[in-house]
Amino acid sequence: MCKLLLVEDATDLANVLKRDLTRAGFDVLHAADGLHALQLHASQNPDLIILDWMLPKLDGIGVLRQIREHSATPVIMLTARVEELDRVMGLEVGADDYMTKPFSTLELIARVKAMLRRVALIEQTLKQDRQPDDTSMIQYGDLYLDPTNYSTQINGTSLDLSRTEFDLLRLFLLNPGRAFSRAYLLETIWEVDYLGGDRAVDNAVMRLRKKLGSMGDAIETVWGVGYRLHDEH
């Protein structure tokens, strides 16, 4: 059963939403103010947050900013504010979806289910990228990578790669032409919200390119996104 955190200070609306979400099969936690929401998020680790904008003690934007400092929990924001700039602000701070009051609880439930399906698909992709089933030798031009013994060679010369560089190169080789965002590479290779952030990815790619020599140019920068390996085909 997926656990939801409902953050809504309007008692009547909160009761209706909690009732309908529970009937839909969710385990629903409720907070009526921003500070309590942060406490529940930290202690209960919900799968998704339904977050009202206007809250006592700490508003929804403040809650969202603090959560995004350390967590990627999906967030659907609820608000009576209809201005485009308000919606843009919520999305830029880190909201994943946005619903304007009044709204249908059926639509909210549908969006919650869609969001959770999307998260599950992303997690499945991450798992496959972290632990690919294929352990056969990978060739890319004159480059050979052997996952069974963590060895890499170019023209018969062995490369001295760190574990991070090896995993990064393997991910690229298994997915030529696929663009990877820096955030996705952090989650896949480092498996945490690494403190080095984007700089850690950029530095690792720079070192890998240098060790690959003339083949390093095959790892292309995708401006505004991240990196990809040039598809030879």
Side-chain angles (χ1 to χ4, degrees), residues 15-208:
N15 289 338
V16 170
L17 294 179
K18 186 173 182 180
R19 180 198 66 198
D20 290 351
L21 289 165
T22 301
R23 286 176 178 174
F26 298 108
D27 180 13
V28 184
L29 306 168
H30 175 238
D33 64 72
L35 295 181
H36 189 204
L38 291 175
Q39 294 170 357
L40 284 178
H41 180 264
S43 62
Q44 299 298 318
N45 191 29
D47 298 292
L48 182 144
I49 304 171
I50 300 170
L51 178 63
D52 189 28
W53 184 306
M54 302 301 292
L55 295 168
K57 298 184 180 179
L58 182 65
D59 67 17
I61 291 295
V63 172
L64 185 55
R65 283 199 176 101
Q66 292 196 36
I67 286 174
R68 284 293 176 259
E69 289 178 0
H70 57 82
S71 172
T73 306
V75 173
I76 298 176
M77 289 206 75
L78 308 179
T79 181
R81 305 168 73 107
V82 297
E83 295 297 327
E84 182 180 15
L85 287 178
D86 292 332
R87 295 197 299 271
V88 170
M89 179 188 298
L91 294 172
E92 287 186 344
V93 170
D96 299 278
D97 200 356
Y98 199 103
M99 294 191 69
T100 303
K101 298 177 180 178
F103 55 84
S104 161
T105 55
L106 289 177
E107 182 182 356
L108 174 61
I109 291 170
R111 292 200 190 193
V112 168
K113 290 180 177 178
M115 183 72 64
L116 291 172
R117 285 195 300 269
R118 195 177 312 146
V119 170
L121 180 60
I122 292 172
E123 287 298 323
Q124 181 181 7
T125 304
L126 277 170
K127 183 177 180 180
Q128 292 172 346
D129 284 340
R130 287 170 180 163
Q131 300 175 332
D133 296 329
D134 190 358
T135 58
S136 58
M137 179 82 74
I138 307 171
Q139 180 183 0
Y140 182 87
D142 296 323
L143 171 66
Y144 292 85
L145 182 145
D146 187 350
T148 60
N149 58 14
Y150 284 90
S151 64
T152 311
Q153 295 184 347
I154 296 181
N155 292 321
T157 301
S158 296
L159 301 181
D160 183 18
L161 301 182
S162 68
R163 176 63 182 269
T164 296
E165 293 161 355
F166 184 91
D167 290 343
L168 193 59
L169 179 59
R170 185 184 185 190
L171 181 62
F172 286 142
L173 291 174
L174 287 172
N175 301 276
R178 175 180 168 188
F180 292 94
S181 70
R182 291 173 175 84
Y184 188 85
L185 291 174
L186 280 171
E187 289 190 58
T188 308
I189 304 302
W190 282 262
E191 300 189 19
V192 294
D193 292 331
Y194 188 65
L195 293 178
D198 289 354
R199 185 177 296 276
V201 177
D202 293 340
N203 289 339
V205 171
M206 181 179 64
R207 292 193 302 268
L208 179 58

